[in-house]
Amino acid sequence: MEAFTLHRLHFAFTIAYHYIFPQLTMGLALLIVVLKTIALKRGDPRYDAAARFWGRIFGINFLFGVVTGIPMEFQFGTNWARFSEAAGGVIGQTLAMEGVFSFFLESSFLGMFLWGEKRLGPRGHWWAAFLVFLGAWLSGFFIIATNAWMQHPVGYRLEDGAIVLDSFGALLTNPWLPWQYLHTMFGSVATAGFVLAGVGAYYRLRGEHDDQSRIFLATGVVAATAASVLLAFPTGDLQARMVAEHQPATFAAMEGHFETTKGAPLVLIGQPDMENLRLDNPIEVPGVLSFLTHSRWDAEIPGLTEFPREDWPDNVPLLYYAYHIMAGLGSIFILVGLVAAWKLKRGTLATSRRMLWLRLLLTPFPYIANLFGWMTAELGRQPWVIHGLMRTKDGFSANVSEGNVLFTLIGFMGMYALLTVLFFFLMGREIRKGP
């Protein structure tokens, strides 16, 4: 296997593993603020106990997020040196702000939240929770701003082969940024909501922690259902329109749309045939893709064959499946969420064993949906590391041999396997201990 492919696999592995943790902490930070707000307004100690419990879960995930996130910063140099040399003056701005402002804000007030409740008092403890939330969401903003610039570069000029930032304001007001950021954050809230509901369902099924299990279920179901709806509309819809406008080849590959068509159908399922450039066994809804993209049933959607082959995403089938798995799981989340919300309103959710088992078994699936969502974004940008400016094959560290990359990749896999065992041990211990 050539060095270029191994560099890509190495970074894909480390970022996929790392994203397990912040996708929970960013959403959980918001839900902890919700729990603390209810506790403060009602004077209800049960919600304080719930916030403390989820604060401990947050702390474990935050720790593992830090441990697995730091190596990625170094990989910009070790694996993607030519990309860093060319674009470091741009991406260094947002990555530095993420570290200096967001990370230190989040970590400092997390310590106060976990160990300073008695000294801070109820209102001070609420402010500690809010500042943890603010730090987590600012961190997400600066990371997404970096990725949005790679997807849709703005505010730059080329100078002696380097990309120089002309306008920091343009970087932070990139039209790609708002919808990608909100889509990512709502994905995180959905994950946190499913985890809350899953743990609540687990306690209900075991007959433990009656009050807390009801709080976890109610909070989790409401948060996960609302976030799942917002993931589809408006954030997912408007993000897809951005892709259609600025990365039309990517959009065609995502949708499995090979031939330019007026009144293009929305493909629900099918198998890409790359030899004949078609979808096998498609199940389609006529005209819907055109309407969703341009708000007109007869709008023309360019097919993948309209674009030069060298500008196609590297792996069209994988991109197509990643996108459809994400969208399919999102649809299931909405359906299950609405049924659970209906049962919650009727007061039967906590006693419906079938729904409790379903909520418990669905707990890992938002992680899968979020992972495939990121795969859609990153596979879709290929063959560019900076869309339209630098191809991925021109950005890797050419001086690092395939043997060195493979050695470190195997080392990371072994180390992360040990971290996984430790993570499940710590999480299992907290969940068994309970609120």
Side-chain angles (χ1 to χ4, degrees), residues 411-426:
F412 268 82
M413 288 179 171
M415 180 175 64
Y416 283 7
L418 295 176
L419 285 176
T420 301
V421 174
L422 178 60
F423 174 75
F424 279 113
F425 168 75
L426 294 174

Side-chain angles (χ1 to χ4, degrees), residues 45-322:
R46 296 176 303 167
Y47 285 88
D48 273 324
R52 287 188 214 104
F53 172 77
W54 288 107
R56 297 196 300 271
I57 298 296
F58 181 101
I60 293 170
N61 281 266
F62 179 79
L63 172 64
F64 280 81
V66 172
V67 170
T68 58
I70 291 174
M72 293 196 311
E73 301 282 347
F74 289 97
Q75 280 188 283
F76 283 113
T78 57
N79 295 80
W80 300 98
R82 290 189 291 180
F83 162 70
S84 299
E85 182 180 8
V90 179
I91 66 170
Q93 306 282 335
T94 45
L95 293 177
M97 293 182 74
E98 188 273 336
V100 173
F101 297 148
S102 311
F103 172 74
F104 286 110
L105 175 67
E106 184 180 5
S107 57
S108 299
F109 284 95
L110 177 60
M112 294 183 186
F113 180 81
L114 292 176
W115 297 295
E117 183 174 4
K118 291 182 179 178
R119 288 181 177 272
L120 293 171
R123 292 187 179 277
H125 200 234
W126 183 91
W127 275 108
F130 177 78
L131 289 168
V132 170
F133 156 72
L134 181 63
W137 281 51
L138 276 175
S139 179
F141 177 81
F142 289 123
I143 294 297
I144 299 300
T146 306
N147 188 267
W149 184 83
M150 294 166 65
Q151 298 281 356
H152 180 60
V154 294
Y156 69 92
R157 70 179 188 276
L158 298 176
E159 190 174 286
D160 299 326
I163 304 168
V164 179
L165 184 64
D166 259 345
S167 171
F168 185 66
L171 179 63
L172 296 185
T173 57
N174 187 340
W176 194 281
L177 174 57
W179 299 117
Q180 185 181 7
Y181 173 67
L182 290 173
H183 193 64
T184 304
M185 292 299 107
F186 286 131
S188 180
V189 174
T191 298
F194 270 88
V195 171
L196 253 76
V199 172
Y202 170 77
Y203 287 146
R204 293 299 303 168
L205 291 166
R206 290 177 60 88
E208 299 175 350
H209 310 294
D210 183 69
D211 286 344
Q212 298 298 323
S213 64
R214 291 176 182 271
I215 291 172
F216 296 169
L217 268 173
T219 307
V221 164
V222 171
T225 304
S228 297
V229 172
L230 291 169
L231 277 167
F233 300 99
T235 64
D237 175 57
L238 292 171
Q239 179 63 25
R241 293 187 183 212
M242 290 294 295
V243 176
E245 180 181 354
H246 298 287
Q247 298 180 9
T250 298
F251 185 76
M254 285 165 46
E255 297 289 354
H257 186 64
F258 290 97
E259 299 294 335
T260 299
T261 309
K262 289 186 176 181
L266 179 68
V267 175
L268 301 180
I269 194 170
Q271 301 83 44
D273 178 353
M274 296 307 296
E275 289 186 7
N276 298 302
L277 299 180
R278 68 184 185 190
L279 279 181
D280 292 335
N281 312 307
I283 298 176
E284 303 172 332
V285 184
V288 172
L289 183 61
S290 289
F291 180 77
L292 289 176
T293 308
H294 298 290
S295 301
R296 299 196 327 272
W297 294 101
D298 62 345
E300 183 175 274
I301 303 293
L304 192 58
T305 54
E306 289 285 322
F307 306 98
R309 191 91 185 211
E310 63 268 20
D311 291 341
W312 290 13
D314 296 341
N315 194 326
V316 172
L318 183 58
L319 170 61
Y320 167 86
Y321 286 122

Side-chain angles (χ1 to χ4, degrees), residues 345-356:
K345 186 176 180 180
R346 292 184 61 198
T348 60
L349 177 62
T351 56
S352 174
R353 291 188 66 83
R354 287 184 180 179
M355 181 55 71
L356 291 174

